Amino acid sequence: MSLLESLIWRYAVKRMTGEKVPQQKVDVILEAARLAPTSSGIQPFSILQITDRKLLEKIQPIAYNQPQITEASHLLVFAAWDNVTPEKIDEVFNRVVAERNLPADALKGYSDNLKASFAAQTQEQRFNWAARQAYISFGVAITAAATEQVDATPMEGFKNTELDHLLELNKHGLRSTTLLTIGVRDTANDWLANLKKVRRPKEEFIIEL
Ligand SMILES: Cc1cc2nc3c(=O)[nH]c(=O)nc-3n(C[C@H](O)[C@H](O)[C@H](O)COP(=O)(O)O)c2cc1C
C-alpha cells in the first residue's frame, strides 16, 4: 500500500478483537514516534507501553469505559514533561555535543537562548509546549501504525489527572497527553468499520496563495 492508501485504510477503530499484535510491529511504531521531529530536538515527552491486562482494566473507567482500552493488544500513553528545566535542556544538548563530537561549548549560545525563553514562561506554558511536541510524535505513530497495517485508535477521551495519578506519572515528571490503542479491528462488531471516511474538501482545506 502507498502512504495515502494506508491513511485511507486506517480509521479510529472503536472495537478490537483482543488479538495480539506482534511486538516487532509495535516496536516499529515506537521507533517512528522516537524519530519524530520536535522543536530544537528536545523530545520533551515519553511513551508508556502498557500490556498488563489488570492495569488496562483499571484504565478503562478513566477513559469513559471505551472498549478499545481492554480489547487492545497494547496501549501507548504519550506523556509530556510537566516542566522544561535548564537541567533537562543541558542533558539534550550535552548528548548532541557528545554524539557529534563537537567542542564542549559549540551549542552554548543556542541552549542559553532557549533556557532564557523558557524562563520567561510559566510552568503550565512550558508543559503546553511539551504537549504540542508530544502530539507531533503521536501523529507520526498513528501514521506508522497505518503503514504497518496495524489498527490503532488515537484517544483524548480520558481523564488526564486520574490517569496520571494511577500511573504515578509525577514520579517521572510527566503528565499524560494522549493514548494510542494498538490492536486488531473487530469488523463484525465495529459500527465504524464500513462507514465512509469523511474529510473537509481539498478546496476548502488547502488555501492557495
Ligand atoms: C487527538 C485525537 C483524539 C481522539 N480521541 C478519541 C477518543 O477518545 N475515542 C475515539 O474513539 N476516537 C478518538 N479519536 C478519533 C477521531 O474521532 C477520528 O480520528 C476522526 O473522527 C477521524 O476519523 P478516522 O480517524 O476514523 O479517519 C481521536 C482522534 C484524535 C486525533
Side-chain angles (χ1 to χ4, degrees):
M1 272 194 198
S2 70
L3 175 63
L4 290 185
E5 282 166 342
S6 298
L7 290 175
I8 290 165
W9 170 84
R10 68 147 296 280
Y11 74 102
V13 174
K14 303 300 175 210
R15 298 300 304 264
M16 292 178 166
T17 60
E19 280 166 78
K20 286 273 151 231
V21 172
Q23 187 60 43
Q24 211 184 347
K25 283 196 174 263
V26 182
D27 287 345
V28 172
I29 297 167
L30 289 167
E31 186 60 357
R34 192 176 74 96
L35 289 169
T38 55
S39 180
S40 293
I42 304 288
Q43 294 179 284
F45 53 87
S46 288
I47 300 171
L48 290 89
Q49 172 175 243
I50 303 177
T51 50
D52 181 274
R53 308 325 294 175
K54 286 208 166 67
L55 187 52
L56 292 174
E57 278 163 25
K58 284 187 193 158
I59 294 172
Q60 192 171 38
I62 295 172
Y64 303 101
N65 290 315
Q66 297 192 66
Q68 309 94 315
I69 300 285
T70 49
E71 291 171 354
S73 165
H74 294 62
L75 176 69
L76 305 184
V77 179
F78 286 71
W81 292 355
D82 61 4
N83 197 6
V84 183
T85 60
E87 293 72 29
K88 283 176 170 167
I89 292 175
D90 280 340
E91 206 179 302
V92 170
F93 288 105
N94 288 343
R95 182 180 306 113
V96 175
V97 163
E99 293 199 16
R100 290 183 177 157
N101 296 317
L102 298 173
D105 61 353
L107 300 173
K108 192 177 177 316
Y110 186 88
S111 123
D112 283 349
N113 281 342
L114 204 57
K115 286 181 207 168
S117 88
F118 281 120
Q121 296 179 19
T122 64
Q123 182 172 343
E124 197 60 18
Q125 283 173 323
R126 290 190 286 266
F127 165 72
N128 284 329
W129 172 83
R132 287 198 296 277
Q133 310 312 311
Y135 270 84
I136 299 169
S137 172
F138 184 58
V140 171
I142 295 166
T143 309
T147 58
E148 287 297 303
Q149 303 292 285
V150 170
D151 287 309
T153 316
M155 288 186 170
E156 266 180 338
F158 66 99
K159 294 171 211 153
N160 301 58
T161 45
E162 284 187 30
L163 186 64
D164 297 355
H165 184 70
L166 175 71
L167 301 178
E168 300 185 321
L169 292 188
N170 61 332
K171 287 190 181 164
H172 303 278
L174 295 169
R175 287 165 62 183
S176 58
T177 57
T178 49
L179 307 179
L180 189 65
T181 62
I182 306 280
V184 176
R185 63 181 71 177
D186 181 353
T187 27
N189 293 304
D190 190 344
W191 58 269
L192 191 55
N194 296 311
L195 292 185
K196 184 177 187 288
K197 189 174 280 294
V198 180
R199 290 294 189 268
R200 287 166 57 204
K202 258 183 236 170
E203 310 71 51
E204 180 191 308
F205 184 71
I206 294 156
I207 300 170
E208 297 271 6
L209 298 177

